[in-house]
Amino acid sequence: MVNVALIAHDKKKLDLALFAKEWKDVFKNCKLYATKTTGKILKEKVGLEIQTFESGPLGGDLQIGALAVSGKIDFAIFLRDPLTAQPHEPDVSAVLRICDVHNIPLATNLATAEAIVLEIQKKLNN
């Protein structure tokens, strides 16, 4: 099983939902984790099974980061809004740092997210 974290800032949630819908055949074969609102949108709009945590500003980013530290995340897609200041920016930075420290492939935009999904697809087909 491939474990994937899916996180998106408010202005990127629709982008992530459309992306997940496009790649639903891949994602439905993964164990998915998301922050609360992102997970709710992906469940309702795409029909994916997702384990959700708190919203990002309430510690959800850090909860997913803890999973990454414990080796339970294989890939992360975190669609960030680079043009809007985030009140929980230190938490966002922590998740990015954890992915770097633990060598977890991380996408922060749709182009790199597609590259990651293609890699997940390869792993699932092996």
Side-chain angles (χ1 to χ4, degrees), residues 31-43:
K31 174 69 176 154
L32 302 174
Y33 302 92
T35 49
K36 191 174 199 170
T37 310
T38 301
K40 181 180 178 195
I41 289 169
L42 292 172
K43 284 178 186 178

Side-chain angles (χ1 to χ4, degrees), residues 2-7 27 64 68 71-79 95-109 112-120 123:
V2 177
N3 301 295
V4 183
L6 299 171
I7 308 169
F27 286 126
I64 290 177
K72 295 179 181 164
I73 299 293
D74 301 309
F75 296 91
I77 296 174
F78 192 159
L79 297 187
V95 171
L96 303 178
R97 186 173 52 257
I98 286 166
C99 287
D100 286 344
V101 168
H102 293 276
N103 207 29
I104 297 168
L106 167 69
T108 58
N109 59 60
T112 54
E114 186 167 347
I116 281 183
V117 172
L118 290 170
E119 186 61 28
I120 293 169
K123 283 190 170 288

Side-chain angles (χ1 to χ4, degrees), residues 77-94:
I77 296 174
F78 192 159
L79 297 187
R80 299 170 49 216
D81 177 5
L83 302 177
T84 303
Q86 302 297 323
H88 63 298
E89 190 62 40
D91 296 352
V92 173
S93 296

